[in-house]
Protein backbone atom coordinates (compact mmCIF):
# COMPACT_ATOMS: atom_id res chain seq x y z
CA UNK A 1 0.00 0.00 0.00
CA UNK A 2 1.16 3.54 -0.80
CA UNK A 3 2.14 5.43 2.32
CA UNK A 4 -0.38 8.05 3.40
CA UNK A 5 0.68 11.70 3.25
CA UNK A 6 1.05 13.35 6.62
CA UNK A 7 -1.12 16.46 6.70
CA UNK A 8 -1.07 19.58 8.89
CA UNK A 9 -3.83 22.17 9.04
CA UNK A 10 -3.48 25.87 9.77
CA UNK A 11 -6.76 27.40 10.93
CA UNK A 12 -7.99 30.53 12.68
CA UNK A 13 -11.74 30.12 12.93
CA UNK A 14 -14.65 27.75 13.10
CA UNK A 15 -12.97 25.11 11.03
CA UNK A 16 -15.92 23.72 9.08
CA UNK A 17 -13.58 22.94 6.18
CA UNK A 18 -11.18 21.32 8.61
CA UNK A 19 -14.06 19.14 9.81
CA UNK A 20 -14.99 18.16 6.24
CA UNK A 21 -11.37 17.14 5.64
CA UNK A 22 -11.15 15.21 8.91
CA UNK A 23 -14.38 13.36 8.07
CA UNK A 24 -13.12 12.42 4.62
CA UNK A 25 -9.79 11.30 6.03
CA UNK A 26 -11.54 8.76 8.22
CA UNK A 27 -12.22 6.75 5.08
CA UNK A 28 -9.81 3.84 4.96
CA UNK A 29 -8.68 4.47 1.40
CA UNK A 30 -8.10 8.21 1.83
CA UNK A 31 -4.45 8.80 0.89
CA UNK A 32 -3.70 11.20 3.76
CA UNK A 33 -3.45 11.15 7.52
CA UNK A 34 -4.32 14.15 9.73
CA UNK A 35 -1.39 14.79 12.08
CA UNK A 36 -1.12 18.39 13.26
CA UNK A 37 -3.28 21.47 13.68
CA UNK A 38 -1.78 24.90 14.28
CA UNK A 39 -3.87 27.95 15.12
CA UNK A 40 -2.98 31.59 15.64
CA UNK A 41 -6.19 32.06 17.68
CA UNK A 42 -6.44 30.53 21.13
CA UNK A 43 -10.25 30.47 21.05
CA UNK A 44 -10.59 29.03 17.52
CA UNK A 45 -13.22 26.31 17.46
CA UNK A 46 -10.98 24.56 14.96
CA UNK A 47 -8.69 23.66 17.90
CA UNK A 48 -11.60 21.88 19.55
CA UNK A 49 -12.31 19.95 16.36
CA UNK A 50 -8.65 18.98 16.10
CA UNK A 51 -8.52 17.80 19.72
CA UNK A 52 -11.66 15.72 19.19
CA UNK A 53 -10.02 14.07 16.22
CA UNK A 54 -6.92 13.29 18.27
CA UNK A 55 -4.49 15.50 16.36
CA UNK A 56 -1.55 17.27 17.90
CA UNK A 57 -2.99 20.78 18.38
CA UNK A 58 -0.82 23.83 18.90
CA UNK A 59 -1.78 27.44 19.53
CA UNK A 60 1.12 29.59 18.38
CA UNK A 61 0.64 33.04 19.86
CA UNK A 62 1.47 35.82 17.37
CA UNK A 63 2.21 38.19 20.28
CA UNK A 64 5.30 36.18 21.15
CA UNK A 65 7.01 36.66 17.79
CA UNK A 66 8.38 40.00 16.58
CA UNK A 67 7.91 39.33 12.85
CA UNK A 68 5.94 37.19 10.43
CA UNK A 69 9.16 35.27 9.65
CA UNK A 70 9.79 34.53 13.33
CA UNK A 71 6.25 33.31 13.72
CA UNK A 72 6.47 31.12 10.63
CA UNK A 73 9.83 29.74 11.76
CA UNK A 74 8.01 28.34 14.79
CA UNK A 75 5.23 26.92 12.58
CA UNK A 76 7.87 25.40 10.32
CA UNK A 77 9.60 23.79 13.30
CA UNK A 78 6.30 22.12 14.22
CA UNK A 79 5.73 20.93 10.64
CA UNK A 80 9.21 19.43 10.57
CA UNK A 81 8.87 17.90 14.00
CA UNK A 82 5.71 16.11 12.80
CA UNK A 83 7.29 15.12 9.44
CA UNK A 84 4.47 16.85 7.57
CA UNK A 85 4.19 16.25 3.81
CA UNK A 86 1.29 18.58 2.97
CA UNK A 87 -0.27 21.63 4.61
CA UNK A 88 -3.92 22.62 4.25
CA UNK A 89 -4.91 26.16 5.12
CA UNK A 90 -8.45 26.02 6.45
CA UNK A 91 -9.71 29.50 7.20
CA UNK A 92 -6.21 30.66 8.21
CA UNK A 93 -6.28 34.42 8.54
CA UNK A 94 -2.58 35.12 8.17
CA UNK A 95 -0.51 35.71 5.09
CA UNK A 96 2.35 33.22 5.00
CA UNK A 97 5.90 34.54 4.86
CA UNK A 98 8.21 33.48 2.01
CA UNK A 99 10.12 31.41 4.57
CA UNK A 100 7.21 29.02 4.99
CA UNK A 101 6.00 29.14 1.38
CA UNK A 102 9.48 28.28 0.08
CA UNK A 103 10.07 25.50 2.61
CA UNK A 104 6.81 23.83 1.53
CA UNK A 105 6.65 25.00 -2.10
CA UNK A 106 3.99 23.07 -4.01
CA UNK A 107 2.84 21.41 -0.79
CA UNK A 108 0.54 24.04 0.73
CA UNK A 109 -3.13 24.21 -0.26
CA UNK A 110 -5.73 26.85 0.45
CA UNK A 111 -9.45 27.11 -0.21
CA UNK A 112 -10.93 30.39 -1.37
CA UNK A 113 -14.67 31.11 -1.58
CA UNK A 114 -14.78 32.31 -5.21
CA UNK A 115 -13.84 31.25 -8.71
CA UNK A 116 -10.21 32.40 -8.85
CA UNK A 117 -8.63 34.32 -10.45
CA UNK A 118 -11.80 36.36 -10.01
CA UNK A 119 -12.44 37.88 -6.58
CA UNK A 120 -9.09 37.00 -5.03
CA UNK A 121 -6.22 39.04 -3.60
CA UNK A 122 -5.69 41.47 -0.70
CA UNK A 123 -8.89 42.30 1.16
CA UNK A 124 -10.84 39.51 -0.54
CA UNK A 125 -11.77 37.37 2.41
CA UNK A 126 -14.93 36.36 4.22
CA UNK A 127 -18.04 38.27 3.34
CA UNK A 128 -16.11 40.83 1.26
CA UNK A 129 -15.76 38.19 -1.44
CA UNK A 130 -19.47 37.44 -1.65
CA UNK A 131 -20.37 41.14 -1.53
CA UNK A 132 -18.04 41.76 -4.47
CA UNK A 133 -19.62 38.87 -6.41
CA UNK A 134 -23.11 40.29 -5.80
CA UNK A 135 -21.98 43.84 -6.68
CA UNK A 136 -20.53 42.56 -9.96
CA UNK A 137 -23.88 40.91 -10.74
CA UNK A 138 -22.22 37.57 -11.40
CA UNK A 139 -24.56 34.71 -12.25
CA UNK A 140 -22.27 32.10 -10.72
CA UNK A 141 -19.70 31.85 -7.99
CA UNK A 142 -18.01 28.95 -6.28
CA UNK A 143 -14.87 27.84 -4.53
CA UNK A 144 -11.28 27.21 -5.55
CA UNK A 145 -8.59 25.06 -4.01
CA UNK A 146 -5.17 26.34 -5.01
CA UNK A 147 -1.52 25.93 -4.18
CA UNK A 148 -0.15 28.74 -2.05
CA UNK A 149 2.64 30.80 -3.56
CA UNK A 150 4.19 34.05 -2.40
CA UNK A 151 1.24 36.14 -3.59
CA UNK A 152 -2.29 36.32 -2.21
CA UNK A 153 -4.66 33.79 -3.83
CA UNK A 154 -2.35 33.67 -6.84
CA UNK A 155 -1.12 30.08 -6.85
CA UNK A 156 -2.08 27.37 -9.34
CA UNK A 157 -5.70 26.27 -9.03
CA UNK A 158 -6.12 22.55 -8.30
CA UNK A 159 -9.92 22.25 -8.42
CA UNK A 160 -13.03 24.41 -8.49
CA UNK A 161 -16.71 23.96 -7.68
CA UNK A 162 -19.40 26.20 -9.15
CA UNK A 163 -22.64 27.34 -7.58
CA UNK A 164 -25.31 29.60 -9.05
CA UNK A 165 -25.89 33.11 -7.75
CA UNK A 166 -29.66 33.22 -7.31
CA UNK A 167 -32.00 36.15 -7.67
CA UNK A 168 -32.51 37.71 -4.26
CA UNK A 169 -29.29 36.24 -2.81
CA UNK A 170 -27.80 38.07 0.15
CA UNK A 171 -24.19 37.76 1.24
CA UNK A 172 -25.37 35.22 3.82
CA UNK A 173 -27.32 32.97 1.46
CA UNK A 174 -24.54 33.01 -1.11
CA UNK A 175 -21.87 32.38 1.54
CA UNK A 176 -23.81 29.36 2.82
CA UNK A 177 -24.17 27.87 -0.67
CA UNK A 178 -20.47 28.37 -1.40
CA UNK A 179 -19.40 26.92 1.97
CA UNK A 180 -21.42 23.77 1.32
CA UNK A 181 -19.61 23.41 -2.01
CA UNK A 182 -16.27 23.95 -0.24
CA UNK A 183 -16.91 21.04 2.09
CA UNK A 184 -17.20 18.67 -0.88
CA UNK A 185 -14.44 20.25 -2.92
CA UNK A 186 -11.58 20.42 -0.41
CA UNK A 187 -11.43 16.66 0.33
CA UNK A 188 -11.61 15.87 -3.40
CA UNK A 189 -8.80 18.31 -4.13
CA UNK A 190 -6.63 16.98 -1.30
CA UNK A 191 -7.11 13.45 -2.58
CA UNK A 192 -6.09 14.56 -6.06
CA UNK A 193 -2.95 16.30 -4.77
CA UNK A 194 -1.96 13.34 -2.58
CA UNK A 195 -2.21 11.04 -5.55
CA UNK A 196 -0.11 13.40 -7.69
CA UNK A 197 2.78 14.32 -5.33
C1 LIG B 1 -13.99 29.55 4.05
O1 LIG B 1 -14.97 30.30 3.42
C2 LIG B 1 -12.76 29.49 3.18
O2 LIG B 1 -13.05 29.58 1.82
C3 LIG B 1 -11.96 30.68 3.62
O3 LIG B 1 -12.22 30.82 5.00
C4 LIG B 1 -13.47 30.22 5.32
C5 LIG B 1 -13.20 29.26 6.42
O4 LIG B 1 -14.35 28.73 7.00
N1 LIG B 1 -10.58 30.52 3.29
P1 LIG B 1 -14.21 27.53 8.03
O5 LIG B 1 -13.36 27.99 9.20
O6 LIG B 1 -13.61 26.38 7.31
O7 LIG B 1 -15.63 27.25 8.47
Amino acid sequence: MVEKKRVAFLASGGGSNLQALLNAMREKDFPALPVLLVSNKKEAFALERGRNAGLRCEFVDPKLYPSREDYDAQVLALLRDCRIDLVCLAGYMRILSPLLVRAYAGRILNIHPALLPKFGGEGMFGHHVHQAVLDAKETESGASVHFVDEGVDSGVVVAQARVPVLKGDSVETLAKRVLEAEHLLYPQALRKVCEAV
Side-chain angles (χ1 to χ4, degrees), residues 23 29-30 33 37 41 64 66 70 76 102 115 121 129 148 154 159 172 178 193:
N23 294 349
D29 75 329
F30 201 92
L33 191 72
L37 168 66
K41 298 274 183 203
L64 302 180
D70 290 311
L76 193 52
R102 286 177 196 165
L115 294 172
V129 178
V148 174
S154 54
E172 288 72 24
V178 171
V193 169

Side-chain angles (χ1 to χ4, degrees), residues 53-126:
L55 311 196
R56 175 169 173 190
C57 292
E58 299 281 349
F59 161 57
V60 180
D61 188 348
K63 285 198 224 89
L64 302 180
Y65 300 88
S67 71
R68 208 140 49 90
E69 280 70 20
D70 290 311
Y71 185 89
D72 281 354
Q74 175 58 25
V75 173
L76 193 52
L78 289 167
L79 298 177
R80 290 193 165 138
D81 191 43
C82 292
R83 294 177 290 112
I84 295 301
D85 299 308
L86 285 167
V87 179
C88 290
L89 308 188
Y92 189 57
M93 298 304 288
R94 282 177 73 88
I95 308 248
L96 303 189
S97 66
L99 177 88
L100 189 47
V101 175
R102 286 177 196 165
Y104 270 82
R107 295 189 294 154
I108 308 177
L109 293 173
N110 183 39
I111 188 157
H112 183 78
L115 294 172
L116 292 174
K118 282 179 160 184
F119 306 106
E122 297 272 355
M124 279 293 170
F125 58 89

